[in-house]
Amino acid sequence: MTDTTHRRALGIAAALFAVSLWAAWIPVTRFGVVTRLSAWDVAALRFGTAGLLLAPVLLRRWREVPWRRLGALVAMICGGGVPYVLAFGKGLAIANPGQGAVLGPGANSALVTL
């Protein structure tokens, strides 16, 4: 296997993994909020796990974060972060996953853009 073929296979595997995560997010969130978890629990699991896994990356690249543009960082966090996941989880508690799959990603993009 050449280096190019290996890199292409790795890229395809990474793309499939990312698509699988995004495809599974809505039904898993729906399952969580209609069983024992609340939208707060789902948000804590999502961002707590990501925060723990990515903390070493943040510490290593601390100086590269654009701290001078703090307003833009806060806007992105509020538009696509915890408030969005909380609202989405509350919505999935009363809607079906198909409706969430149609409205959720568009709402995320719109909120981040605002």
Side-chain angles (χ1 to χ4, degrees):
M1 184 180 273
T2 65
D3 186 47
T4 306
T5 306
H6 178 68
R7 291 176 58 112
R8 180 174 291 189
L10 189 61
I12 290 171
L16 289 173
F17 181 69
V19 168
S20 298
L21 285 178
W22 273 102
W25 178 65
I26 293 170
V28 167
T29 302
R30 165 78 173 164
F31 180 74
V33 296
V34 298
T35 55
R36 294 180 167 225
L37 299 177
S38 69
W40 288 95
D41 297 331
V42 172
L45 285 169
R46 179 175 180 180
F47 291 104
T49 304
L52 286 174
L53 290 174
L54 292 175
V57 176
L58 177 63
L59 292 174
R60 191 172 337 125
R61 296 179 178 243
W62 185 261
R63 292 181 182 242
E64 296 175 32
V65 177
W67 296 111
R68 281 184 241 132
R69 298 187 56 190
L70 193 58
L73 289 173
V74 170
M76 287 188 290
I77 290 168
C78 290
V82 175
Y84 168 75
V85 172
L86 289 173
F88 192 73
K90 293 281 188 184
L92 278 179
I94 58 174
N96 67 45
Q99 293 166 333
V102 171
L103 297 173
N108 190 12
S109 299
L111 288 171
V112 169
T113 300
L114 288 175

